[in-house]
Amino acid sequence: MSLKFLTRTALSLTGFGLLLPLPTFAATPTDLAEPAAEAQTSANVQEVLVTARRRTESLQDVPLSISALSGAQLERSGVTTLEQVTKIQPSLQLISSNARNTAVTIRGLGSNTGLTNDGLENGVGIYVDDVYFARPGSAVVELLDVARVEVLRGPQGTLFGKNTTAGAVSLTTRDPTFEPEGQLEVTAGNYGYVQGKAVVSGALLGDILAGRLALIGTQRNGLFYNTTLKTRQEDRRNFAARGTLLFTPSSELTIRASYDFSEQDPNAHTLAFVRYGPTGRSAASQFPALAAAFNYKPASENVYDRLVDVDAPLQARQILQGGSIKADWDLGGVTLTSVSAARNWVWRPSNDRDYTALDIRAKSQNPSEQSQWSQELRLASDGDQTLDWVVGLYAFDQKVETNGVESYGRHAARWLLGTSFNNTAIPSNLLDGLTARTIVRSKTRSYAAFGQATWDITPELHLTGGLRYTKETKSGDFTQTVSGGLATTQPDLVNRIASVARPQKYYADFTDSSPSGQISLAWDVTPDVLTYVTVSRGFKSGGINAAGIPTDAAGNPALVSARIRPEKTQNLEAGIKTQWLNRRLTLNLAAYQTDIEDYQANVVDSGPGAIRGYLANIDKVEVRGAEFDARFNPLPGLSTYSSIAWTDAKYASFRNGPPPLEFLTGTTAAYDLSGQRLPGVSEWAGSAGLDYETDGQIGRVTGHW
C-alpha cells in the first residue's frame, strides 16, 4: 500500500476542511493534564500541569527546569515535528542531515555533531508514553495525536534513567475517550504542501473498553531542483498512524495498549553550494583548482537559487513501528505500574556523498535495522503525603545491524589524493570502482533499579532524593572488506588506497555499572514563589566503535580504541519560580553548571595509515548557562510568552580534536581544541510570542532567534 494512497485515504475519511493553524503557547489545565488530573484556575489564569516526577503536578511546584507544551498548542501552531518544537524551546536543539544522522541536544549536550554510530547512544532520552526510543530517527517523525511535550533540562538519571545525561524529551499521547469524538484537519501551503490529520475515538464495549485511531499524512514538493537528474529534492512524504485501546475492567485497574507505525520516504537529503572555504592545504588541493581540473561549476553559487546537481538518486526512507502495554493498578495507597514495549526501526538510505555532478564518492549508504524491547515496573505512593515516593525496576534489550557500502568513481583519485605522493605519480583511475563493504552488529542489554522520594520537612520546605543503579552489557563486531580500484603492488599506491579504505575486522564487549541520581532542596518562600537547589549525577552508557578504528603500522586494529567509556555528568542547578499579579504573570529563572567527564567525541588518529577520525573519550567538557521563561496574561483572551537561554559550552580539555576547516592540511595531525566552544551550540537563543482570542477569533504573533 503506497504512502500516497494511505494519505488520501486518511483525508477522505470524513470530508475536507481547510485550516490555517497559527502558534499559541498558553497551556490550559485540560490541555496538559491526564483525564484524572484537576487544576483550579481563575479568570485569565492558566495552570500548567506536568508529570516529570511520575505524578501530575503544577509545573511551578516542581524543582526542576522544565518546559511544557500542550497538544492543543502544538496543533494550533502547526507544529508536527520535534524539530519544529525547537523553534519555541530555545534550550532544545536538533541537528539532522537525515534520520540516522540526527543529534538532539539540551543545553548544548546530548550528542556531538557527526557522532552517528550504531554502537553509541544519545545523551538526550526521547520517551513516548514512558517508552524509551533508542534510535535517533525517532526524533524526526511526525508528532501524532500528542497530549503534551515536556522538555526536562539537565540530567534525569533517577526516573528516566536510560542515557539522560543532558535531559529528556517526554511525549504523552492522548487516551481513548468513552464519549465519541472525531477530528479532521487538512492544511495546504506552497510547494504543493498538503497535510491531513484524522482522529476518531469512542467506546467499543460499554464503559469497559474504548478505542482511538489517529492518522497523519504529509506531502510537499522538493525545495531544491536537481539540474543533473531534472528532479526536485528535499521533499516530504510522511505517514503515521497510532491505534490505542483503553481497558478499564474496574475502578482500580486501567490497561492501555497501543501500536504505532510511521514511514518517511523523501527524495532527500542534499546539499547546496554556499561558498568556498580555504583550508591549510596547497593551492592545488583547494576547491577552485580541483573544480577547474574537471571543468566543474556548481549548479549555482547563490544558495537561494535552490539548485543542486547531485548525479545519483537520493533516498532517506525509514520505518518505525512498535507496541506497548501500560497497566496501572491501584492497590490502595500505592499504585503499581507496568510498561512493556517492543519496537523496530528500519533505515533504507541512498546517497551520493560528494553531492556534486562529479563521480567522486558515488555511493555512501548504511542501511540499518534495529529492534528493542523494554520492561519497567514502578510502585508509587498515592495522593499528597508527607513522604511521596516511587521505586522501580527497568530492563532494556537492543540489537542493531548495519550493512554499509562506500564506492568511489573515476574522479576520486584526483579529488581526494592529488596527482603524486612521495614522488610517485597517482594514476587518475587509482580509486575508480574501489568499494568498501561493512557489516556491523551491536547488542545492548541494560538493567536498572531506581527510587525517588520527596519529604515535606515542613509545609514550605521539601527535600527530594533519588538514586538509580544501572548495569549494562554491550558487544559489537565490525567487518570491512575492500575490493575494486586499480590493481597495484607499488607500496606508495597501496598506502594511498588504504588511506581511503582498508580491510578491517574486530570484536569488543564490556560490562559497565554506575550509580546516578539527584538531591534537591526546595523552599516555598510564599505560595507563589519557589526556590530550589539541585545537585544531580548522570550516566550515559559506553559504546563500541562501529565505524572503524585506528590500526598500527602492520594494519592490526588497536582494540583499546574499540570501546568508548561511559560519560559521567555532574550538574549543579539553582532556580526560582514565581507568579505575580494574581498569577497572571509567571517569571522563572534557572542557572546551572554542568561538568562531563569522558565526553564521547570524534578524535583524530595520528598514527600510520589514518585519514579520518574515530570515536573516543576526551577528558572534560564544561557547560554553564542560564534560562529565563516568562508568561503574562494581562487581559482576558490575551497571553504572551518569552524564553531566553544563554549557554557557554566549551571543551575543557581536548588535545586530539579534528582541526577546524581553515587548519586542515591533508595530514592526520590532531588539533588542540581545549578551551574552544562546542560545535552547533548557540550562545544565545530565544523565542517570544503573543496570543489573542476573542469571540472565537484567534490571532498570534511569534518569533525566535
Side-chain angles (χ1 to χ4, degrees):
M1 185 177 295
S2 70
L3 176 66
K4 184 179 291 186
F5 175 79
L6 288 170
T7 303
R8 288 177 175 173
T9 301
L11 298 181
S12 63
L13 287 177
T14 56
F16 180 87
L18 181 63
L19 301 178
L20 297 176
L22 294 169
T24 181
F25 304 97
T28 65
T30 54
D31 285 338
L32 288 172
E34 296 292 336
E38 296 181 356
Q40 299 296 324
T41 62
S42 59
N44 208 39
V45 177
Q46 299 166 323
E47 185 176 22
V48 178
L49 303 180
V50 296
T51 57
R53 297 196 292 182
R54 304 303 192 191
R55 62 180 185 270
T56 302
E57 303 174 279
S58 170
L59 183 146
Q60 293 301 109
D61 294 335
V62 180
L64 294 171
S65 185
I66 308 172
S67 297
L69 292 170
S70 72
Q73 289 175 302
L74 299 174
E75 290 172 358
R76 291 194 295 262
S77 65
V79 172
T80 59
T81 66
L82 190 60
E83 183 177 13
Q84 293 169 339
V85 172
T86 66
K87 303 297 189 296
I88 49 181
Q89 294 297 322
S91 292
L92 175 68
Q93 293 185 325
L94 187 147
I95 302 172
S96 179
S97 58
N98 59 47
R100 185 172 182 265
N101 292 269
T102 298
V104 182
T105 66
I106 293 177
R107 294 175 171 174
L109 299 173
S111 180
N112 197 355
T113 56
L115 273 190
T116 299
N117 195 295
D118 293 334
L120 206 61
E121 311 291 344
N122 201 300
V124 174
I126 297 176
Y127 294 80
V128 180
D129 295 329
D130 293 351
V131 177
Y132 173 63
F133 281 39
R135 302 321 298 162
S138 61
V140 296
V141 301
E142 304 279 5
L143 299 179
L144 176 62
D145 202 30
V146 172
R148 67 178 175 275
V149 176
E150 297 177 23
V151 180
L152 288 70
R153 302 187 283 263
Q156 307 296 324
T158 303
L159 298 181
F160 287 85
K162 176 65 179 170
N163 296 313
T164 54
T165 50
V169 180
S170 177
L171 291 82
T172 302
T173 63
R174 290 189 172 96
D175 283 335
T177 58
F178 286 93
E179 291 295 326
E181 66 177 39
Q183 175 188 356
L184 177 70
E185 177 181 319
V186 177
T187 305
N190 58 350
Y191 291 94
Y193 177 87
V194 177
Q195 182 179 80
K197 303 177 187 177
V199 178
V200 60
S201 181
L204 300 177
L205 183 61
D207 59 356
I208 296 178
L209 182 66
R212 188 179 188 93
L213 177 64
L215 306 170
I216 183 172
T218 306
Q219 295 188 99
R220 188 201 64 203
N221 298 332
L223 301 178
F224 291 82
Y225 181 72
N226 188 320
T227 59
T228 302
L229 300 180
K230 312 301 181 185
T231 60
R232 302 204 70 88
Q233 293 178 338
E234 293 294 338
D235 60 5
R236 289 182 67 181
R237 290 182 290 173
N238 303 342
F239 174 77
R242 177 181 292 109
T244 308
L245 294 175
L246 183 64
F247 181 47
T248 56
S250 68
S251 59
E252 292 80 23
L253 180 61
T254 300
I255 300 175
R256 186 183 192 270
S258 68
Y259 168 79
D260 63 273
F261 174 90
S262 178
E263 179 183 15
Q264 296 179 319
D265 191 16
N267 181 17
H269 294 272
T270 190
L271 296 178
F273 183 88
V274 177
R275 64 180 179 272
Y276 153 64
T279 70
R281 297 180 177 181
S282 65
S285 300
Q286 305 282 337
F287 176 80
L290 292 171
F294 295 109
N295 195 28
Y296 170 74
K297 290 185 178 180
S300 173
E301 295 187 0
N302 182 357
V303 68
Y304 297 105
D305 289 340
R306 295 185 177 180
L307 297 178
V308 297
D309 59 357
V310 178
D311 60 347
L314 301 178
Q315 179 178 306
R317 183 170 184 252
Q318 71 163 343
I319 297 174
L320 292 102
Q321 58 183 320
S324 66
I325 299 176
K326 181 179 180 181
D328 291 295
W329 188 11
D330 186 350
L331 301 176
V334 297
T335 297
L336 177 65
T337 299
S338 170
V339 183
S340 309
R343 301 202 58 80
N344 177 257
W345 175 67
V346 176
W347 169 240
R348 295 291 180 263
S350 178
N351 297 319
D352 175 9
R353 198 56 181 270
D354 59 67
Y355 296 106
T356 71
L358 296 174
D359 189 16
I360 303 171
R361 198 172 176 184
K363 182 182 293 186
S364 175
Q365 54 195 48
N366 294 279
S368 299
E369 184 163 355
Q370 177 255 10
S371 61
Q372 69 173 72
W373 63 259
S374 60
Q375 174 63 53
E376 183 169 1
L377 291 173
R378 298 195 302 265
L379 189 66
S381 61
D382 292 338
D384 188 7
Q385 306 175 23
T386 302
L387 184 67
D388 294 315
W389 53 268
V390 57
V391 295
L393 299 171
Y394 180 78
F396 172 83
D397 182 272
Q398 174 184 246
K399 296 181 177 66
V400 186
E401 180 172 337
T402 299
N403 294 272
V405 59
E406 301 265 354
S407 64
Y408 300 83
R410 65 185 187 280
H411 300 140
R414 174 68 178 89
W415 193 279
L416 298 177
L417 302 178
T419 57
S420 65
F421 178 72
N422 287 343
N423 297 320
T424 299
I426 296 178
S428 61
N429 63 341
L430 181 66
L431 302 180
D432 191 9
L434 181 69
T435 302
R437 300 184 183 276
T438 59
I439 300 176
V440 185
R441 299 183 180 93
S442 65
K443 298 179 181 179
T444 302
R445 182 159 291 182
S446 179
Y447 302 98
F450 59 90
Q452 181 168 300
T454 298
W455 175 31
D456 295 334
I457 303 173
T458 70
E460 295 80 23
L461 193 62
H462 319 282
L463 179 66
T464 299
L467 183 66
R468 188 183 191 100
Y469 187 82
T470 303
K471 182 175 182 179
E472 189 157 283
T473 299
K474 187 168 290 189
S475 65
D477 63 80
F478 177 91
T479 301
Q480 178 167 285
T481 58
V482 179
S483 61
L486 180 66
T488 179
T489 58
Q490 293 187 49
D492 286 339
L493 297 183
V494 171
N495 287 337
R496 290 290 82 195
I497 294 174
S499 70
V500 176
R502 68 173 77 87
Q504 193 173 83
K505 182 178 179 63
Y506 58 86
Y507 171 87
D509 60 9
F510 64 88
T511 298
D512 277 325
S513 57
S514 177
S516 57
Q518 68 161 342
I519 186 167
S520 176
L521 185 64
W523 177 33
D524 291 311
V525 181
T526 72
D528 293 328
V529 177
L530 171 73
T531 62
Y532 67 91
V533 176
T534 299
V535 178
S536 55
R537 173 187 172 91
F539 168 78
K540 178 183 174 184
S541 62
I544 304 291
N545 252 304
I549 58 176
T551 61
D552 59 22
N556 299 313
L559 290 179
V560 67
S561 303
R563 176 190 171 185
I564 303 105
R565 296 188 302 275
E567 284 184 1
K568 297 179 178 63
T569 302
Q570 307 284 348
N571 183 70
L572 174 62
E573 180 175 322
I576 182 169
K577 296 185 173 185
T578 69
Q579 290 186 305
W580 310 87
L581 304 178
N582 197 25
R583 299 188 177 180
R584 294 198 306 271
L585 174 64
T586 298
L587 302 175
N588 294 340
L589 177 66
Y592 61 90
Q593 170 75 42
T594 305
D595 297 328
I596 307 97
E597 297 178 358
D598 287 330
Y599 186 70
Q600 298 163 350
N602 281 317
V603 304
V604 170
D605 171 28
S606 57
I611 194 173
R612 65 182 69 179
Y614 66 101
L615 293 175
N617 300 94
I618 63 176
D619 292 339
K620 191 176 183 181
V621 164
E622 296 176 344
V623 182
R624 58 177 179 168
E627 297 154 343
F628 174 76
D629 295 292
R631 295 194 310 275
F632 185 38
N633 306 103
L635 300 169
L638 177 63
S639 61
T640 67
Y641 85 97
S642 62
S643 297
I644 301 174
W646 171 70
T647 308
D648 179 21
K650 64 182 181 180
Y651 297 112
S653 176
F654 192 5
R655 298 181 179 85
N656 58 334
L661 177 68
E662 60 271 24
F663 295 107
L664 284 174
T665 61
T667 70
T668 58
Y671 188 85
D672 190 353
L673 291 173
S674 301
Q676 301 297 314
R677 293 183 59 84
L678 266 66
V681 182
S682 300
E683 182 177 7
W684 289 96
S687 58
L690 63 86
D691 180 346
Y692 180 68
E693 180 176 359
T694 180
D695 297 329
Q697 302 298 315
I698 302 174
R700 295 176 183 88
V701 177
T702 64
H704 63 272
W705 69 92

